[in-house]
Amino acid sequence: MSTTAPPTLLVLAAGMGSRYGGLKQIEAVGPGGETIIDYSISTPCAPDSASWFSSSARILSSRSKRWWARVFEKRIAVEYVFQELDKIPAGFSVPAGRTKPWGTTQAIMMAADAIHEPFAVINADDFYGAESYQVMARQLQSGSGDYAMVGFVLRNTLSEFGTVARGVCRVESDGYLEQVVELTAIAREGDHARDTASDGKVTMLTGDEPVSMNMFGFTPQVFGRLDEHFRKFLEANGTDLKKECYVPNTVNDMLVAGQAKVKVLHSNDSWLASPTGKTTHMLSRASGA
């Protein structure tokens, strides 16, 4: 059974940009001054891809509506949700001195009252490519109750400018996700790659491994599960000033608990890094400009 209603796009755009030194999603990277978020939203919501996603987006933001209105509201319908530090389950409180958001699991939870249909989650500061949106929309419109994750080829997501953190996926023979293993310092090594952990442990990688780039597909039923696992996170880490609850870790926990099945979708698109001349050229080719 399939549904004809286009799924919704939830864009996570509340990042503080501390490591980058600013907000990547609003930095000009395209030949006409386009930003990463221009591509993030216009690619799946363009007229010729109307069957992929609805021509509207939910923007999760820490910025004012005025900024987003100036950028997008003349092009698509936008609904806003906001990630706030004190929006946590009853019985918990924000520890004195904490300023960091609680992570992407809490971020998605903020959209619970706004989304009532299957939806995809993307980071506003990552460019995923058209094929990624196509395979995700197809899965979300299939009528399946399973969740989904787009798996990118590791070598297509490596940076020429240093190490990257990636969720390396273990996939079962039936195409469903078994586990996401977070490796935080992966560097290119010829056609292959290696990760060097903080304790010095080296993991060699072929470069062909599927990796998560935080492009997930969910049904609205996920909000209850996210709340459950976020509560567990707060019970263990609620007094910590920096720890965050990340979606890949929460999905892992749901898999271990037998609460979810996650279909791994495959994309040959390349993830594009922060603004450089190379990025501008690659975005031009990827968008057909």
Side-chain angles (χ1 to χ4, degrees):
M1 183 183 74
S2 64
T3 177
T4 57
T8 284
L9 192 65
L10 175 61
V11 182
L12 304 185
M16 300 173 70
S18 55
R19 286 175 296 176
Y20 176 68
L23 292 178
K24 284 193 294 183
Q25 59 263 41
I26 63 172
E27 193 80 24
V29 296
E34 297 88 351
T35 65
I36 289 234
I37 198 167
D38 274 307
Y39 291 105
S40 298
I41 293 181
S42 63
T43 300
C45 296
D48 61 354
S49 59
S51 61
W52 304 355
F53 287 87
S54 59
S55 57
S56 64
R58 270 70 170 189
I59 307 289
L60 181 109
S61 178
S62 59
R63 296 175 70 90
S64 70
K65 290 184 180 180
R66 183 178 303 173
W67 189 89
W68 295 108
R70 186 174 69 247
V71 177
F72 289 114
E73 285 189 1
K74 291 182 180 180
R75 296 159 50 187
I76 60 172
V78 177
E79 185 173 346
Y80 304 92
V81 290
F82 296 89
Q83 183 177 19
E84 297 176 6
L85 195 59
D86 60 354
K87 283 190 176 180
I88 55 179
F92 298 94
S93 59
V94 179
R98 179 165 183 123
T99 58
K100 288 180 68 69
W102 293 101
T104 48
T105 295
Q106 186 221 15
I108 295 173
M109 289 169 59
M110 298 300 96
D113 292 333
I115 295 179
H116 309 285
E117 60 282 317
F119 65 101
V121 178
I122 65 168
N123 293 332
D125 55 4
D126 289 321
F127 182 72
Y128 296 96
E131 182 185 7
S132 308
Y133 292 106
Q134 285 178 307
V135 296
M136 177 61 78
R138 191 178 303 124
Q139 172 67 20
L140 293 176
Q141 290 182 287
S142 70
S144 171
D146 296 336
Y147 303 150
M149 185 207 76
V150 175
F152 293 81
V153 179
L154 173 60
R155 68 167 52 87
N156 291 345
T157 73
L158 298 176
S159 173
E160 301 293 340
F161 308 102
T163 62
V164 296
R166 295 288 179 261
V168 179
C169 302
R170 295 177 181 171
V171 184
E172 298 174 345
S173 59
D174 60 0
Y176 280 82
L177 184 64
E178 178 183 351
Q179 185 182 20
V180 179
V181 178
E182 291 291 331
L183 300 179
T184 59
I186 302 176
R188 190 184 299 276
E189 191 164 282
D191 289 334
H192 307 292
R194 70 155 58 196
D195 175 75
T196 305
S198 58
D199 62 2
K201 178 184 176 182
V202 173
T203 301
M204 298 304 301
L205 301 158
T206 68
D208 295 321
E209 293 85 355
V211 296
S212 166
M213 298 299 297
N214 274 355
M215 188 176 193
F216 286 95
F218 296 113
T219 64
Q221 287 72 27
V222 78
F223 292 117
R225 296 298 187 193
L226 295 179
D227 179 82
E228 174 186 341
H229 288 276
F230 186 49
R231 287 174 183 271
K232 292 179 180 178
F233 169 85
L234 290 175
E235 288 171 359
N237 305 286
T239 60
D240 193 280
L241 301 184
K242 293 185 177 181
K243 283 190 178 179
E244 298 180 52
C245 187
Y246 296 112
V247 173
N249 295 336
T250 301
V251 169
N252 265 341
D253 291 342
M254 288 192 287
L255 291 173
V256 170
Q259 297 174 331
K261 292 187 67 178
V262 180
K263 181 75 172 178
V264 178
L265 312 174
H266 297 283
S267 172
N268 292 309
D269 285 327
S270 295
W271 168 85
L272 300 180
S274 55
T276 65
K278 286 185 178 180
T279 304
T280 300
H281 174 64
M282 293 173 72
L283 281 170
S284 299
R285 288 187 304 158
S287 64

